[in-house]
Amino acid sequence: MNIMIIKHLLCVIFLGVVCAVSTSCTAQEEKLTIEIIAAGTVSDFWTTAFAGAETAAAQYGADIKLFGPELEKDDLLQEHILLQSIARKPDAIIFSAADKILTTEVFDAANSEITIIELNSGLDDSRLASYVGSNNRALGHTLAQEIASRFSGGTIAMINNAATVAAAKERETGFLESLSGNPEFSILASVYCDADIDKAEKLAETLMEDHPNLTAIVCLNASATIGAGRAIEKAEKNDIFLAGVDCAAEEAWFMECGVLDVTICQNPYAMGYFGVEAAIRHIRGESAEEVIYTDFSVVTKETMFLKRNQQLIFPIS
Amino acid sequence: MVNKLLTLLKQHFHLNSLWFIISAITVFMALMATLTIALIMNIRFSAAIDNAAFVNNARIVSAAADNIDGYIMEVFRTSRVVAEMTETYPAQKDIFDNVRFLLPEDIDTIAVFTENGDLELKTDDRPLLPKQALTSQQWFRAVAPGSSMFVLSNPHIQHLFPGEYRWVISMSAGLSWSSGEQNRRGMMLIDLNLSAIDELFADMMDENSYLYVMDEDGEIIFHPRQQMIYAGIWQDETISSADIGEGSLIVENNSERLLVSVGPLSYASWRVVGVSSLKGALSYDADMPVFVIIIISLILLIVVILTILISFAVTRPMRRLMTLMKSVESGKWAVSSEGNGIYEVAALSESFNKMVNKIKLLMEQVLTEQRALRESEVRMLHEQINPHFLYNTLDSMVWLAERGDRENVVIMIEALAKFFRLTLSGGKDIIPVRDELKHVESYLTIQKMRFGNRFDFKINMDQSVADRFSMKMLLQPLAENAVIHGIGNTYEDGMIIISAYLDADDLIYVIQDNGIGMAPEKLKMIAQNGTQNDVLLDQGVGIRNIRQRIQLLYGGNYGLFFDSEPESGTTVTIRIPAINDKVARKS
């Protein structure tokens, strides 16, 4: 009888070993899929953000895919890309709205199955898991302070991205909050370039023609800054103070030439990195902050080649 | 099968049962042994892995240092080649203007400047920034013009061409050449693409280790996470620890143990740092702890099952014996244990069987003896209430009454009444010695009167026996023998002396007469059994009955002893235990 029992038990033990070994071999975690839908893909800003995102994805073992229109002005294309991405049902979408995107429809389509992280565009929607990017209002404040510290008064023109982009609106509000209290400054109504460099250039030309005694042009995003820089360089009006945002290669050159006088450099690498990190934390159910602000810093011609700024302005390719 | 086993286990489960104790101890020892082995192996393997990591890390660092040194040397040789060209073809300097150099990818630019900052030679035709913008830069001021030194810069943004901003490491080398009759001094700039250094040790890193290069001030030259560090997202905490010159050390960082090895370069004041995480044997492979736990659990499972089976099997004969004993306890005597396998249990079984058999025999014996005793007593009572004795006594009383001997009639009636009262003794078997003697006294009183005072009797009771107890009706049959067979046939003055005294713990009755006595053969026969003899039937029955009762009650050491010679009387000695008051009352 005992021998029979032992035989039975040996069979059971053998099966147990087989099961244990096979489960431990097949128990490989499936990789998280994260898609980044950027506003643009070719600018220095976005390549750097992608580099940060890829670093985080590699570190956390997630699969990451990058989508977006080449240029930020292609907002219709971005919407199309976004809808396609939602249809693929990735674990998370990191999204930076280019322009008049119909965000409500998009979020409805995602229907809470997909974690949505917003990157630097400042949408206001409760279905967003986290916002990662600059504090755009503070960025506007800082720009205003740069103007106020250099001029006691004058006419200020403002070229913004688009009236419908929340981030652009925030920067504008921040700037106006700081400066409109000062009666010495007359601030012209904002004009919008819709992330189009050529349009920004034309807008700047028009502004300079219409207001020959213009003190400063404040540009609230990179394409506006580049466009205005081109216009000022062409018109050889270096005496107009140009304040901008970001420091793409062309902007850096304008700065060296004295066209661009001050710029606020954001930290796109950190945005990409923390965006992916926040997405992964949300998917895993760990705690993640709702708002993650990345740093920005003021760069002028004198400080642009300081070590710290070099590291921030120029991405390592 | 398993269910059956479980039921069996449950049925026999007691914390102090042998099989459970054996199982528990064995399982405990197996667990201890397994854990100890696992622990020792872990420590041992971890140490071995640490050791291997030390050697490996140092080797990788030195290989990387050699690579970088080699690379720097190569770049330096390139600079010498260009220097020679400058020296050899000063007149045809303009040919460089028309030649496009084909440079390796890692070299961005080679340019020669005079000590004033004028461009002498450049490997491409991209327009340079104005002279003032160049001479203020660090690379230009790093070496003395005309010296044979070279200096490597930290990574920086190349700032030579309008609108172009690349990360480079600059080698500045002193240079002198002759132009016509003039000796010219200047310096050469070689800009190396930062990403090129990456490739120098890309294949030396794995997921557990990485290499980086830093300068003597702890500034990062190259780091696989350079961009993260530049973006301010991450800091390498080993940088401060790597300030040890050459060698290795272990850095405890949060929960991680990091091995940091530092190796110097020969041609630059840089240091190569290799960082490996020391995780120990268990965490080296993510599946390892799970694997170890599975193995240990399986071993324990097997040990538990086998021990339970074995201990259960080993203790089975004992459990069977236990069951048998229980059934004996409940009165089933018809059992016997079959000895099997295990020696101790077999011996135990055998003893048990013997014991059971013995008890069975003893119980049967006790039953038989009790029955015999009862029969003897009943027979004795029948003897006592002998109608002949009563008839004769009454007859004597009638005769005395007719004679008008009133006094003797009263004595006789009194004696008879006492006799019968003591015979019955309220149904007790054990009576005081005093009563037993009174009983025989009553009997002898009656007989003496019947026999017309042909004999006399005397009763000596030692005071020590007065309060002792004795079996009843021992003396009367012997006294009857003495009267009828000893004295009844003689006409001389007969004498019967009855004594009672203690000999150690034994009670001794002696009945002595001076009658006709017995021939030796007869004495021998009576002494042996006092039975089966027709001639002696009368007295034989009495003696046999007494002997039987004594034997049944007290065993073989007690009994009747006869001493007799013809014509000089007979002495009968009874030896029985002297019973205490308490014992008597209990029975």
Side-chain angles (χ1 to χ4, degrees):
Chain A
M1 183 191 89
N2 282 340
I3 291 170
M4 282 296 289
I5 292 177
I6 289 169
K7 274 184 184 169
H8 277 80
L9 283 170
L10 285 179
C11 286
V12 170
I13 289 165
F14 177 74
L15 284 175
V17 172
V18 169
C19 289
V21 169
S22 57
T23 47
S24 70
C25 288
T26 53
Q28 263 184 349
E29 246 181 271
E30 208 156 289
K31 272 191 161 188
L32 300 174
T33 55
I34 298 172
E35 298 196 349
I36 299 187
I37 313 297
T41 47
V42 291
S43 66
D44 284 348
F45 182 92
W46 287 114
T47 39
T48 309
F50 291 163
E54 272 169 348
T55 307
Q59 206 170 327
Y60 286 100
D63 261 338
I64 192 165
K65 290 198 182 80
L66 312 164
F67 299 97
E70 274 194 17
L71 299 172
E72 301 200 6
K73 58 181 179 180
D74 268 341
D75 49 288
L76 288 172
L77 179 59
Q78 198 205 19
E79 187 182 353
H80 181 65
I81 291 168
L82 180 59
L83 290 172
Q84 279 184 328
S85 171
I86 288 168
R88 282 191 294 270
K89 295 202 167 156
D91 291 305
I93 291 176
I94 297 172
F95 172 59
S96 182
D99 198 10
K100 305 159 203 155
I101 203 102
L102 298 169
T103 48
T104 313
E105 279 178 28
V106 166
F107 285 121
D108 285 348
N111 197 18
S112 78
E113 282 174 35
I114 304 171
T115 303
I116 297 184
I117 305 286
E118 205 230 324
L119 207 67
N120 207 31
S121 51
L123 297 175
D124 185 19
D125 196 294
S126 60
R127 285 161 292 191
L128 283 172
S130 282
Y131 167 81
V132 181
S134 305
N135 180 345
N136 285 307
R137 187 175 288 219
L139 194 150
H141 281 294
T142 310
L143 264 179
Q145 278 156 20
E146 291 302 314
I147 300 286
S149 67
R150 286 178 175 82
F151 302 100
S152 53
T155 312
I156 313 286
M158 201 177 345
I159 306 177
N160 202 348
N161 184 10
T164 48
V165 172
K169 213 66 203 164
E170 281 281 292
R171 288 176 191 175
E172 196 177 311
T173 312
F175 183 83
L176 292 175
E177 270 175 358
S178 284
L179 215 56
S180 58
N182 191 334
E184 299 298 316
F185 288 103
S186 73
I187 301 167
L188 304 176
S190 296
V191 290
Y192 299 98
C193 69
D194 296 327
D196 187 338
I197 295 172
D198 296 337
K199 191 174 174 186
E201 188 179 346
K202 286 194 184 79
L203 286 170
E205 280 167 5
T206 316
L207 281 169
M208 286 188 290
E209 278 167 28
D210 293 353
H211 306 277
N213 58 344
L214 205 57
T215 312
I217 300 177
V218 176
C219 299
L220 293 180
N221 77 342
S223 28
T225 312
I226 295 167
R230 286 179 188 172
I232 289 171
E233 192 186 34
K234 208 186 278 177
E236 293 181 356
K237 283 192 172 177
N238 278 10
D239 54 327
I240 293 179
F241 188 84
L242 180 61
V245 172
D246 290 343
C247 202
E250 198 172 345
E251 289 174 271
W253 178 239
F254 284 144
M255 188 159 264
E256 271 200 80
C257 299
V259 173
L260 179 60
D261 298 283
V262 66
T263 189
I264 309 290
C265 272
Q266 304 181 81
N267 193 343
Y269 189 87
M271 288 179 203
Y273 184 90
F274 289 126
V276 170
E277 194 181 63
I280 287 166
R281 280 175 167 276
H282 276 295
I283 297 166
R284 287 185 184 164
E286 298 165 9
S287 67
E289 293 159 60
E290 271 181 41
V291 175
I292 298 162
Y293 285 138
T294 52
D295 60 337
F296 53 82
S297 48
V298 178
V299 176
T300 61
K301 186 179 180 181
E302 290 72 38
T303 59
M304 69 181 288
F305 286 104
L306 292 182
K307 203 175 88 189
R308 166 80 189 112
N309 288 337
Q310 278 189 17
Q311 292 172 357
L312 199 62
I313 298 170
F314 305 103
I316 298 173
S317 52
Chain B
M1 185 64 86
V2 175
N3 273 345
K4 198 173 152 191
L5 185 74
L6 281 179
T7 332
L8 210 62
L9 284 179
K10 220 175 276 174
Q11 194 184 327
H12 291 280
F13 180 79
H14 297 287
L15 274 180
N16 56 354
S17 61
L18 191 57
W19 75 265
F20 182 74
I21 292 171
I22 293 175
S23 307
I25 291 173
T26 317
V27 168
F28 178 73
M29 289 195 305
L31 179 67
M32 286 295 122
T34 318
L35 288 181
T36 312
I37 289 171
L39 200 68
I40 290 173
M41 292 300 242
N42 185 25
I43 292 170
R44 205 53 209 91
F45 284 144
S46 295
I49 286 173
D50 279 8
N51 204 26
F54 260 86
V55 174
N56 196 39
N57 217 36
R59 209 180 55 218
I60 288 175
V61 165
S62 102
D66 287 350
N67 263 10
I68 298 173
D69 271 336
Y71 181 72
I72 293 170
M73 232 22 239
E74 204 180 297
V75 175
F76 185 66
R77 271 189 222 108
T78 311
S79 82
R80 290 301 101 182
V81 171
V82 176
E84 271 171 38
M85 288 166 75
T86 321
E87 181 71 30
T88 318
Y89 309 107
Q92 296 99 322
K93 185 173 101 38
D94 54 332
I95 65 163
F96 290 112
D97 297 337
N98 304 317
V99 171
R100 295 287 293 275
F101 282 80
L102 192 61
L103 291 175
E105 258 181 48
D106 50 332
I107 297 178
D108 186 83
T109 306
I110 302 177
V112 177
F113 296 91
T114 66
E115 56 189 320
N116 301 322
D118 296 322
L119 180 68
E120 187 72 19
L121 172 73
K122 195 159 76 68
T123 50
D124 58 60
D125 54 2
R126 285 178 290 180
L128 279 173
L129 289 174
K131 187 174 148 186
Q132 298 89 320
L134 299 179
T135 51
S136 64
Q137 289 182 29
Q138 178 131 28
W139 56 264
F140 189 81
R141 293 174 292 169
V143 288
S147 70
S148 55
M149 306 275 287
F150 73 89
V151 167
L152 284 163
S153 76
N154 284 1
H156 65 103
I157 287 292
Q158 187 187 42
H159 192 210
L160 299 177
F161 311 112
E164 272 189 56
Y165 307 98
R166 295 182 193 181
W167 281 97
V168 291
I169 290 172
S170 299
M171 177 189 270
S172 317
L175 190 65
S176 65
W177 69 96
S178 46
S179 169
E181 297 304 308
Q182 271 185 300
N183 264 342
R184 307 281 297 277
R185 290 188 303 170
M187 51 90 54
M188 185 189 302
L189 169 70
I190 302 179
D191 274 352
L192 306 165
N193 283 322
L194 184 61
S195 52
I197 297 194
D198 191 339
E199 286 156 25
L200 287 177
F201 33 62
D203 55 345
M204 290 183 182
M205 289 179 286
D206 60 32
E207 60 208 44
N208 286 315
S209 62
Y210 61 91
L211 285 166
Y212 63 90
V213 183
M214 64 180 203
D215 72 3
E216 53 200 338
D217 300 323
E219 294 290 333
I220 292 289
I221 306 296
F222 162 79
H223 196 289
R225 289 178 169 183
Q226 200 148 356
Q227 208 167 358
M228 279 175 86
I229 295 170
Y230 282 1
I233 293 172
W234 187 73
Q235 275 188 319
D236 195 327
E237 288 172 22
T238 63
I239 288 175
S240 54
S241 322
D243 199 15
I244 52 167
E246 194 177 356
S248 294
L249 84 167
I250 290 174
V251 178
E252 303 271 348
N253 175 19
N254 299 333
S255 57
E256 245 186 330
R257 286 169 72 233
L258 296 174
L259 171 64
V260 179
S261 305
V262 183
L265 290 181
S266 312
Y267 301 126
S269 56
W270 294 348
R271 278 174 283 186
V272 180
V273 183
V275 181
S276 312
S277 64
L278 298 173
K279 294 174 183 168
L282 273 182
S283 49
Y284 217 73
D285 176 356
D287 292 337
M288 196 64 172
V290 182
F291 184 68
V292 168
I293 287 168
I294 289 177
I295 292 287
I296 289 180
S297 319
L298 279 178
I299 290 174
L300 280 182
L301 186 70
I302 294 170
V303 166
V304 165
I305 291 169
L306 287 185
T307 352
I308 288 176
L309 281 182
I310 289 168
S311 62
F312 213 66
V314 164
T315 54
R316 215 183 68 174
M318 297 186 79
R319 272 196 312 282
R320 221 191 35 190
L321 203 57
M322 206 171 75
T323 322
L324 279 179
M325 284 179 173
K326 269 187 187 154
S327 68
V328 167
E329 209 173 90
S330 64
K332 288 176 198 155
W333 289 92
V335 294
S336 100
S337 166
E338 292 154 32
N340 63 7
I342 297 158
Y343 173 75
E344 286 86 351
V345 179
L348 208 58
S349 292
E350 208 184 313
S351 301
F352 172 74
N353 285 344
K354 276 185 190 163
M355 188 189 75
V356 169
N357 284 334
K358 188 79 182 252
I359 291 174
K360 252 196 288 190
L361 275 177
L362 282 173
M363 279 177 62
E364 279 163 16
Q365 198 182 335
V366 166
L367 276 176
T368 325
E369 286 177 357
Q370 285 294 325
R371 201 177 294 126
L373 194 59
R374 284 289 149 211
E375 280 169 6
S376 304
E377 278 168 2
V378 168
R379 232 183 355 259
M380 181 57 74
L381 280 170
H382 280 292
E383 285 291 307
Q384 296 294 320
I385 312 171
N386 190 340
H388 289 286
F389 170 69
L390 189 58
Y391 167 76
N392 287 339
T393 308
L394 290 172
D395 198 37
S396 299
M397 282 193 278
V398 169
W399 183 69
L400 283 171
E402 276 175 356
R403 261 183 30 191
D405 189 352
R406 238 174 64 203
E407 198 183 332
N408 278 327
V409 169
V410 170
I411 291 170
M412 206 158 183
I413 290 174
E414 265 174 10
L416 188 65
K418 198 188 264 179
F419 177 79
F420 278 115
R421 199 182 71 235
L422 288 168
T423 300
L424 296 172
S425 313
K428 282 180 188 157
D429 291 333
I430 306 291
I431 56 168
V433 171
R434 198 183 288 116
D435 286 354
E436 176 67 5
L437 289 172
K438 273 181 192 159
H439 183 242
V440 77
E441 187 187 357
S442 317
Y443 175 73
L444 284 174
T445 307
I446 294 166
Q447 290 297 60
K448 185 181 159 189
M449 289 172 78
R450 273 188 61 213
F451 281 81
N453 291 327
R454 266 191 296 175
F455 71 92
D456 199 359
F457 67 91
K458 201 162 131 191
I459 291 176
N460 303 323
M461 182 177 71
D462 195 278
Q463 274 308 307
S464 60
V465 301
D467 296 325
R468 299 299 180 106
F469 287 74
S470 128
M471 247 162 111
K472 73 178 182 184
M473 277 182 288
L474 287 174
L475 297 176
Q476 185 270 335
L478 295 171
E480 192 178 328
N481 279 348
V483 172
I484 293 165
H485 302 290
I487 292 161
N489 300 333
T490 65
Y491 292 92
E492 290 157 37
D493 290 341
M495 188 64 190
I496 296 172
I497 302 169
I498 294 178
S499 324
Y501 58 92
L502 277 182
D503 177 28
D505 276 337
D506 291 347
L507 174 65
I508 309 291
Y509 288 122
V510 179
I511 298 102
Q512 198 179 2
D513 67 64
N514 57 352
I516 56 170
M518 283 182 282
E521 306 87 61
K522 190 180 171 187
L523 179 68
K524 195 178 172 189
M525 204 176 293
I526 289 172
Q528 270 173 2
N529 52 17
T531 57
Q532 325 296 342
N533 197 317
D534 289 349
V535 183
L536 298 166
L537 198 62
D538 286 359
Q539 67 186 75
V541 169
I543 290 166
R544 192 179 61 166
N545 193 299
I546 292 168
R547 177 176 281 136
Q548 200 178 22
R549 279 161 59 209
I550 292 175
Q551 301 270 309
L552 289 174
L553 218 52
Y554 303 125
N557 289 338
Y558 301 94
L560 286 169
F561 304 96
F562 290 85
D563 186 19
S564 181
E565 268 177 44
E567 306 306 328
S568 64
T570 305
T571 306
V572 184
T573 309
I574 298 176
R575 178 178 283 271
I576 54 170
I579 300 165
N580 279 326
D581 186 25
K582 283 177 191 170
V583 181
R585 279 194 192 161
K586 233 181 263 176
S587 68

